[in-house]
Coordinates of all heavy atoms in Angstrom, one line a residue:
M7 N -11.9 12.0 32.9 CA -12.6 11.5 34.0 C -12.9 10.1 33.8 O -13.1 9.7 32.7 CB -13.9 12.4 34.2 CG -14.8 11.8 35.3 SD -16.4 12.7 35.7 CE -16.0 14.4 35.2
S8 N -12.9 9.3 34.9 CA -13.2 7.9 34.8 C -14.1 7.5 35.9 O -14.4 8.1 36.8 CB -11.8 7.0 34.8 OG -11.2 7.3 36.1
H9 N -14.7 6.3 35.6 CA -15.7 5.7 36.6 C -15.4 4.2 36.6 O -15.3 3.4 35.7 CB -17.1 6.0 36.1 CG -18.1 5.3 37.0 ND1 -18.6 5.9 38.1 CD2 -18.8 4.1 36.8 CE1 -19.5 5.1 38.7 NE2 -19.6 4.0 37.9
R10 N -15.3 3.7 37.9 CA -15.2 2.3 38.1 C -16.7 1.7 38.3 O -17.5 2.2 39.2 CB -14.5 1.9 39.4 CG -14.4 0.4 39.6 CD -13.6 0.1 40.9 NE -12.2 0.5 40.9 CZ -11.2 -0.2 40.4 NH1 -11.4 -1.3 39.9 NH2 -10.0 0.3 40.3
V11 N -17.0 0.8 37.4 CA -18.4 0.2 37.4 C -18.7 -0.6 38.6 O -17.9 -1.4 39.1 CB -18.7 -0.7 36.2 CG1 -20.0 -1.2 36.2 CG2 -18.4 0.1 34.9
L12 N -19.8 -0.3 39.3 CA -20.2 -1.0 40.5 C -21.2 -2.1 40.1 O -21.8 -2.0 39.1 CB -20.8 -0.1 41.5 CG -19.9 1.0 42.0 CD1 -20.7 2.1 42.9 CD2 -18.6 0.5 42.8
P13 N -21.4 -3.2 41.0 CA -22.3 -4.2 40.7 C -23.7 -3.6 40.5 O -24.2 -2.8 41.2 CB -22.3 -5.1 41.9 CG -20.9 -4.9 42.5 CD -20.6 -3.5 42.2
G14 N -24.4 -4.0 39.4 CA -25.7 -3.6 39.1 C -25.8 -2.3 38.3 O -27.0 -1.9 38.0
E15 N -24.7 -1.6 38.1 CA -24.8 -0.3 37.4 C -25.0 -0.6 35.9 O -24.5 -1.6 35.3 CB -23.5 0.4 37.5 CG -23.5 1.2 38.8 CD -22.3 2.2 38.9 OE1 -21.2 1.8 38.5 OE2 -22.6 3.3 39.3
S16 N -25.6 0.3 35.2 CA -25.9 0.3 33.7 C -25.2 1.5 33.1 O -24.9 2.5 34.0 CB -27.3 0.2 33.4 OG -27.9 1.4 33.9
L17 N -25.0 1.6 31.9 CA -24.5 2.8 31.2 C -25.5 3.9 31.4 O -25.0 5.1 31.6 CB -24.3 2.6 29.8 CG -23.1 1.7 29.4 CD1 -22.9 1.5 27.8 CD2 -21.8 2.1 30.0
S18 N -26.7 3.6 31.5 CA -27.8 4.7 31.6 C -27.6 5.3 33.0 O -27.6 6.5 33.1 CB -29.1 4.2 31.5 OG -29.5 3.7 30.3
A19 N -27.5 4.5 34.0 CA -27.3 5.1 35.4 C -26.0 5.8 35.5 O -26.0 6.9 36.1 CB -27.3 3.9 36.4
I20 N -25.0 5.3 34.9 CA -23.6 6.0 35.0 C -23.8 7.4 34.2 O -23.3 8.4 34.7 CB -22.5 5.1 34.5 CG1 -22.3 3.9 35.3 CG2 -21.3 5.9 34.2 CD1 -21.5 2.8 34.6
G21 N -24.4 7.4 33.1 CA -24.7 8.5 32.2 C -25.4 9.6 33.1 O -25.1 10.8 33.1
E22 N -26.5 9.2 33.7 CA -27.2 10.1 34.5 C -26.3 10.8 35.6 O -26.5 12.0 36.0 CB -28.4 9.5 35.2 CG -29.6 9.2 34.3 CD -30.7 8.6 34.9 OE1 -31.1 9.0 36.1 OE2 -31.3 7.6 34.3
R23 N -25.6 10.0 36.2 CA -24.7 10.5 37.4 C -23.7 11.6 36.9 O -23.6 12.6 37.6 CB -23.8 9.3 37.9 CG -22.9 9.7 39.0 CD -22.1 8.6 39.5 NE -21.2 9.0 40.6 CZ -20.5 8.2 41.2 NH1 -20.6 6.8 41.1 NH2 -19.7 8.6 42.1
Y24 N -23.2 11.5 35.6 CA -22.3 12.5 35.1 C -22.9 13.4 34.1 O -22.2 14.4 33.7 CB -21.1 11.7 34.4 CG -20.2 10.9 35.5 CD1 -20.4 9.5 35.6 CD2 -19.4 11.6 36.4 CE1 -19.8 8.8 36.5 CE2 -18.5 10.8 37.2 CZ -18.8 9.4 37.3 OH -18.0 8.7 38.2
G25 N -24.2 13.3 33.8 CA -24.8 14.2 32.9 C -24.3 13.9 31.4 O -24.2 14.9 30.7
V26 N -24.0 12.7 31.2 CA -23.5 12.4 29.8 C -24.4 11.3 29.2 O -24.7 10.3 29.9 CB -22.1 11.8 29.9 CG1 -21.5 11.3 28.6 CG2 -21.1 12.9 30.4
P27 N -24.9 11.4 27.9 CA -25.7 10.4 27.4 C -25.0 9.0 27.5 O -23.8 9.0 27.1 CB -26.0 10.9 26.0 CG -25.9 12.3 26.1 CD -24.8 12.5 27.1
W28 N -25.8 7.9 27.7 CA -25.1 6.6 27.9 C -24.5 6.2 26.5 O -23.4 5.6 26.5 CB -26.1 5.5 28.2 CG -27.2 5.2 27.3 CD1 -28.4 5.7 27.2 CD2 -27.1 4.2 26.2 NE1 -29.1 5.2 26.2 CE2 -28.3 4.3 25.6 CE3 -26.0 3.4 25.8 CZ2 -28.5 3.4 24.5 CZ3 -26.3 2.6 24.7 CH2 -27.5 2.6 24.0
R29 N -25.0 6.6 25.4 CA -24.4 6.3 24.1 C -22.9 6.9 23.9 O -22.1 6.3 23.4 CB -25.3 6.8 23.0 CG -26.6 5.9 22.8 CD -27.4 6.5 21.6 NE -28.6 5.6 21.4 CZ -29.7 5.9 22.0 NH1 -29.9 6.9 22.8 NH2 -30.8 5.1 21.8
E30 N -22.8 8.1 24.5 CA -21.4 8.8 24.4 C -20.5 8.0 25.2 O -19.3 7.8 24.9 CB -21.5 10.2 24.8 CG -22.2 11.1 23.9 CD -22.2 12.5 24.1 OE1 -21.1 13.0 24.7 OE2 -23.1 13.2 23.7
I31 N -20.9 7.5 26.4 CA -20.0 6.6 27.2 C -19.7 5.3 26.6 O -18.6 4.9 26.5 CB -20.6 6.4 28.7 CG1 -20.9 7.8 29.4 CG2 -19.8 5.5 29.4 CD1 -21.7 7.6 30.6
W32 N -20.7 4.8 25.9 CA -20.5 3.5 25.2 C -19.5 3.7 24.1 O -18.6 2.9 23.9 CB -21.9 3.0 24.7 CG -21.8 1.8 23.8 CD1 -21.1 0.6 24.0 CD2 -22.5 1.4 22.7 NE1 -21.3 -0.4 23.0 CE2 -22.2 0.1 22.2 CE3 -23.6 2.2 22.0 CZ2 -22.9 -0.4 21.1 CZ3 -24.1 1.6 20.9 CH2 -23.8 0.3 20.4
H33 N -19.7 4.8 23.2 CA -18.8 5.0 22.1 C -17.4 5.2 22.6 O -16.4 4.8 22.0 CB -19.3 6.2 21.3 CG -20.5 5.8 20.4 ND1 -20.5 4.8 19.6 CD2 -21.7 6.2 20.6 CE1 -21.6 4.7 19.0 NE2 -22.5 5.5 19.6
A34 N -17.2 6.0 23.7 CA -15.8 6.3 24.2 C -15.2 5.0 24.9 O -14.0 5.0 25.0 CB -16.0 7.3 25.3
N35 N -16.0 3.9 25.1 CA -15.4 2.7 25.7 C -15.7 1.5 24.9 O -15.7 0.4 25.4 CB -16.0 2.5 27.1 CG -15.5 3.6 28.1 OD1 -14.5 3.6 28.6 ND2 -16.4 4.6 28.2
R36 N -16.0 1.7 23.6 CA -16.4 0.6 22.7 C -15.5 -0.6 22.7 O -15.8 -1.7 22.6 CB -16.7 1.2 21.3 CG -17.4 0.2 20.4 CD -19.0 0.4 20.6 NE -19.7 -0.5 19.7 CZ -20.4 -0.1 18.7 NH1 -20.3 1.1 18.3 NH2 -21.0 -1.0 18.0
A37 N -14.1 -0.2 22.7 CA -13.1 -1.3 22.6 C -13.2 -2.2 23.9 O -13.0 -3.5 23.7 CB -11.8 -0.6 22.7
L38 N -13.6 -1.7 25.0 CA -13.8 -2.5 26.2 C -15.2 -3.2 26.3 O -15.3 -4.4 26.5 CB -13.6 -1.6 27.5 CG -13.8 -2.4 28.8 CD1 -12.8 -3.4 29.1 CD2 -13.8 -1.3 29.9
I39 N -16.2 -2.4 26.0 CA -17.6 -2.9 26.1 C -18.0 -3.8 24.9 O -18.7 -4.8 25.1 CB -18.5 -1.7 26.2 CG1 -18.3 -0.9 27.6 CG2 -20.0 -2.2 26.3 CD1 -19.1 0.4 27.6
G40 N -17.5 -3.5 23.8 CA -18.0 -4.2 22.6 C -19.3 -3.7 22.0 O -19.6 -2.6 22.2
D41 N -20.0 -4.6 21.3 CA -21.2 -4.2 20.6 C -22.4 -4.2 21.5 O -23.5 -3.9 21.0 CB -21.4 -5.1 19.4 CG -20.3 -4.9 18.3 OD1 -19.8 -3.8 18.2 OD2 -20.0 -6.0 17.6
N42 N -22.4 -4.8 22.7 CA -23.5 -4.9 23.5 C -23.4 -3.9 24.6 O -22.8 -4.2 25.7 CB -23.8 -6.3 24.0 CG -25.0 -6.5 24.7 OD1 -25.7 -5.6 25.2 ND2 -25.3 -7.7 25.2
P43 N -24.2 -2.8 24.6 CA -24.0 -1.8 25.7 C -24.6 -2.1 26.9 O -24.5 -1.5 27.9 CB -24.7 -0.5 25.1 CG -25.6 -1.1 24.1 CD -25.0 -2.3 23.5
N44 N -25.5 -3.2 26.9 CA -26.0 -3.8 28.2 C -25.1 -4.7 29.0 O -25.5 -5.1 30.1 CB -27.3 -4.5 27.8 CG -28.4 -3.6 27.2 OD1 -28.7 -2.5 27.7 ND2 -29.0 -4.0 26.1
L45 N -24.0 -5.0 28.4 CA -23.0 -5.9 29.1 C -21.8 -5.2 29.6 O -20.9 -4.8 29.0 CB -22.5 -6.9 28.0 CG -21.6 -8.0 28.6 CD1 -22.4 -8.9 29.6 CD2 -21.2 -8.9 27.5
V46 N -22.1 -4.6 30.9 CA -21.1 -3.8 31.6 C -20.7 -4.6 32.9 O -21.6 -5.0 33.7 CB -21.7 -2.5 32.0 CG1 -20.5 -1.6 32.5 CG2 -22.3 -1.8 30.7
R47 N -19.4 -4.8 33.1 CA -18.9 -5.7 34.1 C -18.4 -4.8 35.3 O -17.7 -3.8 35.1 CB -17.7 -6.5 33.7 CG -18.1 -7.3 32.5 CD -18.5 -8.8 32.9 NE -18.6 -9.6 31.8 CZ -19.7 -10.3 31.5 NH1 -20.6 -10.3 32.4 NH2 -19.8 -11.1 30.5
P48 N -18.8 -5.2 36.6 CA -18.3 -4.6 37.7 C -16.8 -4.6 37.7 O -16.2 -5.6 37.4 CB -18.8 -5.3 38.9 CG -20.0 -6.1 38.3 CD -19.7 -6.3 36.9
G49 N -16.2 -3.4 38.2 CA -14.7 -3.4 38.2 C -14.1 -2.7 36.9 O -13.0 -2.3 36.9
W50 N -14.9 -2.8 35.8 CA -14.3 -2.1 34.7 C -14.2 -0.5 34.9 O -14.9 0.1 35.7 CB -15.2 -2.1 33.5 CG -15.1 -3.4 32.7 CD1 -14.3 -4.5 33.0 CD2 -16.0 -3.8 31.7 NE1 -14.6 -5.6 32.1 CE2 -15.6 -5.1 31.2 CE3 -17.1 -3.3 31.0 CZ2 -16.2 -5.8 30.2 CZ3 -17.7 -4.0 29.9 CH2 -17.2 -5.2 29.6
I51 N -13.1 0.0 34.4 CA -12.8 1.5 34.4 C -13.3 2.1 33.2 O -12.7 1.8 32.1 CB -11.4 1.7 34.8 CG1 -10.8 1.0 36.0 CG2 -11.2 3.4 34.9 CD1 -11.4 1.5 37.2
L52 N -14.3 2.9 33.2 CA -14.8 3.5 32.0 C -14.4 4.9 31.9 O -14.3 5.7 32.9 CB -16.3 3.5 32.0 CG -17.0 2.1 32.1 CD1 -18.6 2.3 32.1 CD2 -16.6 1.2 30.9
V53 N -14.1 5.4 30.7 CA -13.7 6.8 30.4 C -15.2 7.5 30.3 O -16.1 7.1 29.6 CB -13.0 6.9 29.1 CG1 -12.8 8.4 28.7 CG2 -11.6 6.2 29.1
I54 N -15.3 8.6 31.1 CA -16.5 9.5 30.9 C -16.1 10.6 30.1 O -15.3 11.4 30.5 CB -17.0 9.9 32.4 CG1 -17.1 8.8 33.3 CG2 -18.3 10.7 32.1 CD1 -18.2 7.7 32.8
P55 N -16.6 10.7 28.9 CA -16.3 11.8 27.9 C -16.7 13.2 28.4 O -17.7 13.2 29.0 CB -16.9 11.4 26.6 CG -18.0 10.5 27.0 CD -17.6 9.8 28.2
K56 N -15.9 14.2 28.1 CA -16.3 15.6 28.4 C -17.4 16.0 27.5 O -17.3 15.8 26.3 CB -15.2 16.4 28.4 CG -14.2 16.2 29.5 CD -12.9 17.2 29.4 CE -12.0 16.9 30.5 NZ -10.8 17.7 30.3
V57 N -18.4 16.6 27.9 CA -19.4 17.2 27.1 C -19.1 18.7 27.1 O -19.5 19.5 28.0 CB -20.8 16.9 27.5 CG1 -21.9 17.6 26.7 CG2 -21.0 15.4 27.6
G58 N -18.3 19.2 26.1 CA -17.9 20.6 26.1 C -18.8 21.6 25.7 O -18.8 22.8 26.0
R59 N -19.7 21.3 24.8 CA -20.7 22.2 24.2 C -22.0 22.0 24.7 O -22.3 20.8 25.0 CB -20.6 22.2 22.7 CG -21.0 21.0 22.1 CD -20.8 21.2 20.6 NE -21.0 19.9 19.9 CZ -22.2 19.3 19.7 NH1 -23.3 20.0 20.0 NH2 -22.3 18.1 19.2
K60 N -22.8 23.0 24.9 CA -24.2 22.8 25.2 C -25.0 22.4 24.0 O -24.8 23.0 23.0 CB -24.7 24.1 25.8 CG -24.1 24.4 27.1 CD -25.1 25.2 27.9 CE -24.5 25.5 29.2 NZ -25.1 24.9 30.3
R61 N -25.8 21.3 24.2 CA -26.6 20.8 23.1 C -28.0 21.2 23.5 O -28.3 21.3 24.7 CB -26.4 19.3 22.9 CG -25.0 18.9 22.5 CD -24.9 17.4 22.3 NE -25.4 16.7 23.4 CZ -25.8 15.5 23.2 NH1 -25.9 14.8 22.0 NH2 -26.3 14.7 24.3
A62 N -28.8 21.2 22.5 CA -30.3 21.6 22.7 C -31.1 20.8 21.7 O -30.7 20.5 20.6 CB -30.4 23.1 22.7
H63 N -32.4 20.7 22.1 CA -33.4 20.1 21.2 C -34.5 21.1 21.1 O -34.9 21.6 22.2 CB -33.8 18.7 21.8 CG -35.0 18.2 21.0 ND1 -34.8 17.4 19.9 CD2 -36.3 18.3 21.1 CE1 -36.0 17.0 19.5 NE2 -36.9 17.6 20.2
I64 N -35.1 21.4 19.9 CA -36.2 22.3 19.8 C -37.4 21.3 19.8 O -37.5 20.5 18.9 CB -36.1 23.0 18.4 CG1 -34.9 23.9 18.5 CG2 -37.4 24.0 18.4 CD1 -34.6 24.9 19.7
V65 N -38.4 21.6 20.7 CA -39.6 20.8 20.8 C -40.4 20.9 19.5 O -40.7 22.0 19.1 CB -40.3 21.1 22.0 CG1 -41.6 20.3 22.2 CG2 -39.6 21.0 23.3
Q66 N -40.8 19.7 19.0 CA -41.8 19.7 17.8 C -43.1 19.3 18.3 O -43.3 18.8 19.4 CB -41.3 18.6 16.9 CG -39.9 18.8 16.3 CD -39.7 20.1 15.7 OE1 -40.4 20.4 14.7 NE2 -38.6 20.8 16.0
A67 N -44.1 19.7 17.6 CA -45.5 19.5 18.0 C -45.7 18.0 18.2 O -45.3 17.2 17.5 CB -46.5 19.9 16.8
G68 N -46.4 17.7 19.4 CA -46.6 16.3 19.8 C -45.6 15.6 20.5 O -45.8 14.4 21.0
E69 N -44.4 16.1 20.6 CA -43.3 15.5 21.4 C -43.6 15.6 22.9 O -44.2 16.6 23.3 CB -42.0 16.2 21.1 CG -41.4 15.7 19.7 CD -40.0 16.3 19.6 OE1 -39.8 17.4 19.9 OE2 -39.1 15.5 19.2
T70 N -43.1 14.5 23.6 CA -43.2 14.6 25.1 C -41.7 14.7 25.6 O -40.8 14.4 24.8 CB -43.8 13.4 25.7 OG1 -43.0 12.2 25.4 CG2 -45.3 13.2 25.1
L71 N -41.6 15.1 26.8 CA -40.2 15.1 27.4 C -39.6 13.8 27.5 O -38.4 13.6 27.3 CB -40.2 15.9 28.7 CG -38.9 16.4 29.3 CD1 -38.4 17.4 28.3 CD2 -39.1 17.0 30.7
S72 N -40.4 12.8 27.7 CA -39.9 11.4 27.8 C -39.4 10.9 26.4 O -38.3 10.2 26.4 CB -41.1 10.4 28.3 OG -41.4 10.8 29.6
E73 N -40.1 11.2 25.4 CA -39.6 10.9 24.0 C -38.3 11.6 23.7 O -37.4 10.9 23.1 CB -40.7 11.2 22.9 CG -42.0 10.4 23.1 CD -43.1 10.9 22.2 OE1 -43.0 12.2 21.9 OE2 -43.9 10.1 21.9
I74 N -38.2 12.9 24.0 CA -36.9 13.6 23.8 C -35.8 12.9 24.5 O -34.7 12.8 24.1 CB -37.2 15.1 24.1 CG1 -38.2 15.7 23.2 CG2 -35.8 15.8 24.0 CD1 -38.7 17.1 23.6
A75 N -36.1 12.7 25.8 CA -35.0 12.0 26.7 C -34.6 10.8 26.1 O -33.4 10.5 26.0 CB -35.6 11.8 28.1
A76 N -35.4 9.9 25.7 CA -35.1 8.7 25.1 C -34.3 8.8 23.8 O -33.3 7.9 23.6 CB -36.3 7.7 24.8
K77 N -34.6 9.8 23.1 CA -33.8 10.0 21.9 C -32.4 10.3 22.2 O -31.5 9.9 21.3 CB -34.5 11.2 21.1 CG -33.9 11.6 19.8 CD -34.6 12.7 19.1 CE -33.9 13.0 17.8 NZ -34.6 14.0 17.0
Y78 N -32.1 11.0 23.3 CA -30.7 11.3 23.6 C -30.1 10.5 24.7 O -29.1 10.9 25.3 CB -30.6 12.8 24.0 CG -31.1 13.7 22.8 CD1 -32.4 14.2 22.7 CD2 -30.1 14.0 21.8 CE1 -32.8 15.1 21.6 CE2 -30.5 14.8 20.7 CZ -31.9 15.3 20.6 OH -32.2 16.1 19.5
G79 N -30.8 9.4 25.0 CA -30.2 8.5 26.0 C -30.2 9.0 27.4 O -29.2 8.7 28.3
T80 N -31.2 9.7 27.8 CA -31.2 10.2 29.2 C -32.7 10.0 29.8 O -33.5 9.2 29.1 CB -30.8 11.7 29.3 OG1 -30.7 12.1 30.6 CG2 -31.7 12.6 28.5
T81 N -33.1 10.7 30.8 CA -34.4 10.5 31.3 C -35.1 11.8 31.3 O -34.5 13.0 31.4 CB -34.3 10.0 32.7 OG1 -33.8 10.9 33.6 CG2 -33.6 8.7 32.8
A82 N -36.4 11.8 31.4 CA -37.3 13.0 31.5 C -36.9 13.9 32.8 O -36.9 15.0 32.8 CB -38.7 12.7 31.5
D83 N -36.6 13.1 33.9 CA -36.3 13.8 35.1 C -35.0 14.6 35.0 O -34.8 15.7 35.5 CB -36.2 12.8 36.3 CG -37.5 12.3 36.7 OD1 -38.5 12.9 36.5 OD2 -37.5 11.1 37.1
V84 N -34.0 14.0 34.3 CA -32.7 14.7 34.0 C -33.0 16.0 33.4 O -32.5 17.1 33.7 CB -31.7 13.8 33.5 CG1 -30.5 14.6 33.0 CG2 -31.3 12.7 34.4
L85 N -33.8 15.9 32.2 CA -34.1 17.1 31.4 C -34.9 18.1 32.1 O -34.6 19.3 32.0 CB -34.8 16.6 30.1 CG -34.0 15.8 29.1 CD1 -34.9 15.5 27.9 CD2 -32.7 16.5 28.7
R86 N -35.8 17.7 33.0 CA -36.6 18.5 33.8 C -35.7 19.3 34.7 O -35.7 20.6 34.8 CB -37.6 17.8 34.6 CG -38.5 18.8 35.6 CD -39.2 18.0 36.6 NE -38.2 17.3 37.5 CZ -38.3 16.2 38.1 NH1 -39.5 15.5 38.0 NH2 -37.4 15.6 38.8
D87 N -34.8 18.7 35.4 CA -33.9 19.4 36.4 C -32.9 20.3 35.6 O -32.7 21.4 36.1 CB -33.1 18.3 37.3 CG -34.0 17.5 38.1 OD1 -35.2 17.9 38.4 OD2 -33.5 16.4 38.6
L88 N -32.4 19.8 34.5 CA -31.4 20.6 33.8 C -32.0 21.9 33.2 O -31.4 23.0 33.1 CB -30.8 19.8 32.6 CG -29.8 20.5 31.7 CD1 -28.6 20.8 32.5 CD2 -29.4 19.5 30.6
N89 N -33.4 21.8 32.9 CA -34.0 23.0 32.3 C -34.9 23.6 33.2 O -35.6 24.7 32.8 CB -34.8 22.5 31.1 CG -34.0 22.1 29.9 OD1 -33.6 22.9 29.1 ND2 -33.6 20.8 29.8
G90 N -34.9 23.4 34.5 CA -35.7 24.0 35.5 C -37.1 24.0 35.2 O -37.9 25.0 35.5
L91 N -37.7 22.8 34.8 CA -39.1 22.8 34.4 C -39.9 22.4 35.7 O -39.4 21.3 36.3 CB -39.3 21.8 33.3 CG -38.5 21.9 32.0 CD1 -38.7 20.8 31.0 CD2 -39.1 23.3 31.4
A92 N -40.9 23.0 36.0 CA -41.6 22.7 37.1 C -42.6 21.4 36.8 O -42.9 20.7 37.7 CB -42.6 23.8 37.5
N93 N -43.0 21.3 35.6 CA -43.9 20.2 35.2 C -43.3 19.6 34.0 O -43.3 20.2 32.8 CB -45.2 20.8 34.9 CG -46.3 19.8 34.6 OD1 -46.0 18.5 34.3 ND2 -47.5 20.0 34.6
L94 N -42.9 18.3 34.1 CA -42.3 17.5 32.9 C -43.3 17.3 31.9 O -43.0 16.8 30.8 CB -41.5 16.4 33.3 CG -42.1 15.3 34.0 CD1 -42.8 14.3 33.3 CD2 -40.9 14.5 34.8
H95 N -44.6 17.4 32.1 CA -45.7 17.2 31.1 C -46.1 18.5 30.4 O -47.0 18.5 29.6 CB -46.8 16.6 31.8 CG -46.5 15.3 32.4 ND1 -46.2 14.1 31.8 CD2 -46.5 15.0 33.8 CE1 -45.9 13.1 32.6 NE2 -46.1 13.6 33.9
L96 N -45.4 19.6 30.7 CA -45.8 20.8 30.1 C -44.6 21.6 29.3 O -43.8 22.2 29.9 CB -46.3 21.9 31.2 CG -46.8 23.2 30.7 CD1 -48.0 23.0 29.8 CD2 -47.2 24.1 31.9
I97 N -44.6 21.1 28.0 CA -43.6 21.8 27.0 C -44.3 22.1 25.9 O -45.4 21.6 25.6 CB -42.4 20.7 26.8 CG1 -42.9 19.4 26.2 CG2 -41.6 20.4 28.0 CD1 -41.8 18.5 25.6
H98 N -43.7 23.0 25.1 CA -44.4 23.6 24.0 C -43.6 23.6 22.7 O -42.3 23.6 22.8 CB -44.7 25.1 24.2 CG -45.4 25.4 25.5 ND1 -46.8 25.1 25.7 CD2 -45.0 25.8 26.8 CE1 -47.1 25.4 26.9 NE2 -46.1 25.8 27.6
P99 N -44.2 23.4 21.5 CA -43.5 23.4 20.3 C -42.7 24.7 20.2 O -43.2 25.8 20.5 CB -44.6 23.3 19.2 CG -45.7 22.7 19.9 CD -45.7 23.2 21.4
G100 N -41.5 24.6 19.7 CA -40.6 25.7 19.6 C -39.7 26.0 20.8 O -38.7 26.7 20.7
Q101 N -40.0 25.3 21.9 CA -39.2 25.5 23.2 C -37.9 24.8 23.0 O -37.8 23.7 22.4 CB -40.0 24.9 24.3 CG -39.4 25.0 25.6 CD -40.4 24.5 26.7 OE1 -41.4 24.1 26.6 NE2 -39.8 24.4 28.0
Q102 N -36.9 25.4 23.5 CA -35.5 24.8 23.5 C -35.3 24.1 24.8 O -35.5 24.6 25.9 CB -34.5 25.9 23.4 CG -33.1 25.4 23.4 CD -32.0 26.5 23.3 OE1 -32.0 27.1 22.2 NE2 -31.1 26.8 24.2
I103 N -34.9 22.8 24.7 CA -34.6 21.9 25.8 C -33.1 21.7 25.7 O -32.5 21.1 24.8 CB -35.4 20.6 25.7 CG1 -36.9 20.9 25.7 CG2 -35.0 19.7 26.8 CD1 -37.4 21.4 26.9
L104 N -32.4 22.1 26.9 CA -31.0 21.9 27.0 C -30.8 20.4 27.2 O -31.5 19.7 28.0 CB -30.3 22.7 28.1 CG -30.3 24.2 27.9 CD1 -29.8 24.9 29.0 CD2 -29.6 24.5 26.6
L105 N -29.7 19.8 26.7 CA -29.4 18.4 26.8 C -28.1 18.2 27.6 O -27.2 19.0 27.5 CB -29.3 17.8 25.4 CG -30.5 17.9 24.5 CD1 -30.0 17.4 23.0 CD2 -31.6 17.1 25.0
P106 N -28.0 17.1 28.3 CA -26.8 16.9 29.1 C -25.7 16.5 28.2 O -25.9 16.1 27.0 CB -27.2 15.7 30.1 CG -28.4 15.1 29.5 CD -29.0 16.1 28.6

């Protein structure tokens, strides 16, 4: 799968659109993007890697959904929707959070 970068888009926004962590998109396109993942040019055609296996994170005491999301290059809203959580502020130690 590929994506043509539009003006104003970031790897994070593109990743959210396809459910792929921005870091994976960056690594798949490192030859084009280079060392600065914040420098993405409109018109570039990026490869969107397939995420073939389900990944998960086990919640540790004191973690928030926002912290977990940041760790994996996504947002709390994406994790909430993916996991069917009614309240993104209510997670428990030992809970499995599916990752995009």
Side-chain angles (χ1 to χ4, degrees):
M7 178 181 326
S8 64
H9 174 84
R10 181 182 297 275
V11 178
L12 299 174
E15 280 189 313
S16 65
L17 289 182
S18 294
I20 295 166
E22 283 183 41
R23 177 176 179 178
Y24 294 99
V26 176
W28 70 266
R29 284 182 181 91
E30 290 187 28
I31 297 171
W32 178 37
H33 289 296
N35 295 278
R36 193 83 183 256
L38 176 64
I39 298 171
D41 293 331
N42 185 351
N44 296 313
L45 186 61
V46 188
R47 303 267 187 228
W50 280 356
I51 306 292
L52 302 179
V53 172
I54 306 299
K56 293 180 183 175
V57 179
R59 60 182 172 84
K60 293 213 180 241
R61 299 184 308 154
H63 175 88
I64 305 301
V65 177
Q66 304 299 308
E69 283 186 313
T70 67
L71 200 59
S72 294
E73 291 170 339
I74 295 166
K77 180 177 181 177
Y78 295 100
T80 188
T81 67
D83 289 334
V84 168
L85 293 182
R86 179 197 60 212
D87 295 345
L88 181 63
N89 288 275
L91 302 173
N93 182 343
L94 56 84
H95 301 289
L96 185 59
I97 58 174
H98 306 285
Q101 183 176 355
Q102 177 177 298
I103 300 295
L104 294 177
L105 304 169

